[in-house]
Amino acid sequence: NKVLSTIKQMFTYALSKGIIEHNPAQGTNSINIGGKEKPRDRNLSLEEIKLIWQWLDNEDNHRFHPATPTALKILLLTGVRSGGLRTAEWSEVDLDAALWTIPKEKYKTGIEHKVHLTSFTIKHLQDLKDLSGSQWVLPSIKDNSKPLTDKALARAVKRTEGRIEDIPPWTPHDLRRTFNTQLSAMGITPRLSKRPCFIVIILLLFG
């Protein structure tokens, strides 16, 4: 389905430039090439959050780069997309003002997005800053002049499968869905949930 989408984009571009006279992929849909994908609806329970958090805290469990567990925690604490964190620059993060501004060029809706940070989140961002040594919040391990590759966090999460109390497979994006689901369970409206205040984990782990 993703290949079909890319091909359609390519031919549409070629058509607009006069390179071709018609789009050969026009009229082909996902049903013709394999069926409609079922949307993911994986949400982590509070018990799963606790187990994953504690597992990530123990370096002997995973041997990840130190930034990786912290990055996964920040995804859960803020509800941002993994791509948003991966391409974030320190110039966009004001720890003193407790505010992270994602430019419209980097946000899916094309609108500037402001992430209000709790003190717990700031602590974890400061940990990343101490490790970074780069303009990027999550620099590439091989070349810190570049951001982390788009598959790096997904590969790290994949390596946790079957190693954390038999927790079913999950992905970095499931953390965003979990964030929103838990806020809804607390009675926080979608509008307010855009201002991250995910205290469930703090209460769960330290309350």
Side-chain angles (χ1 to χ4, degrees):
N1 290 348
K2 291 180 180 178
V3 171
L4 176 62
S5 175
T6 302
I7 288 174
K8 282 185 174 181
Q9 278 188 295
M10 178 185 69
F11 284 133
T12 298
Y13 175 79
L15 191 63
S16 70
K17 294 296 183 181
I19 300 171
I20 58 176
E21 295 183 356
H22 72 281
N23 186 340
Q26 192 67 35
T28 304
N29 56 46
S30 60
I31 295 177
N32 301 134
I33 53 92
K36 187 176 180 180
E37 294 179 49
K38 182 181 179 182
R40 287 184 58 86
D41 57 1
R42 175 83 165 95
N43 291 298
L44 276 65
S45 68
L46 294 182
E47 182 61 25
E48 287 177 324
I49 292 170
K50 181 177 180 179
L51 291 172
I52 290 171
W53 193 284
Q54 293 175 340
W55 189 86
L56 291 172
D57 276 341
N58 189 340
E59 294 180 7
D60 292 336
N61 287 333
H62 49 73
R63 307 295 177 91
F64 290 150
H65 183 277
T68 301
T70 304
L72 292 173
K73 292 176 183 179
I74 290 172
L75 292 180
L76 188 56
L77 289 168
T78 61
V80 301
R81 294 178 175 84
S82 58
L85 178 60
R86 186 182 63 80
T87 60
E89 301 177 58
W90 287 117
S91 60
E92 300 160 0
V93 181
D94 188 339
L95 296 180
D96 293 330
L99 185 66
W100 169 15
T101 302
I102 303 177
K104 62 181 181 180
E105 296 81 10
K106 294 183 179 181
Y107 202 65
K108 188 175 182 179
T109 61
I111 301 173
E112 184 181 84
H113 184 61
K114 295 185 181 296
V115 182
H116 299 266
L117 306 170
T118 64
S119 58
F120 195 50
T121 307
I122 290 171
K123 173 188 176 299
H124 286 81
L125 280 167
Q126 184 62 59
D127 289 344
L128 281 186
K129 194 169 187 177
D130 293 341
L131 290 168
S132 173
S134 168
Q135 74 184 78
W136 304 101
V137 173
L138 281 179
S140 167
I141 296 173
K142 295 181 179 180
D143 181 0
N144 72 357
S145 68
K146 299 177 180 179
L148 194 68
T149 60
D150 60 347
K151 301 296 183 183
L153 289 179
R155 284 197 299 265
V157 169
K158 186 73 174 176
R159 288 167 55 191
T160 70
E161 287 188 14
R163 301 172 65 187
I164 313 177
E165 300 286 330
D166 296 323
I167 289 179
W170 55 285
T171 69
H173 190 72
D174 292 336
L175 299 180
R176 175 178 170 82
R177 190 180 299 106
T178 298
F179 173 90
N180 290 321
T181 299
Q182 293 297 341
L183 286 184
S184 295
M186 294 167 65
I188 297 174
T189 65
R191 182 173 181 273
L192 289 178
S193 72
K194 300 305 179 183
R195 294 187 166 208
C197 52
F198 190 23
I199 60 173
V200 172
I201 291 182
I202 301 174
L203 295 174
L204 178 66
L205 299 178
F206 307 108

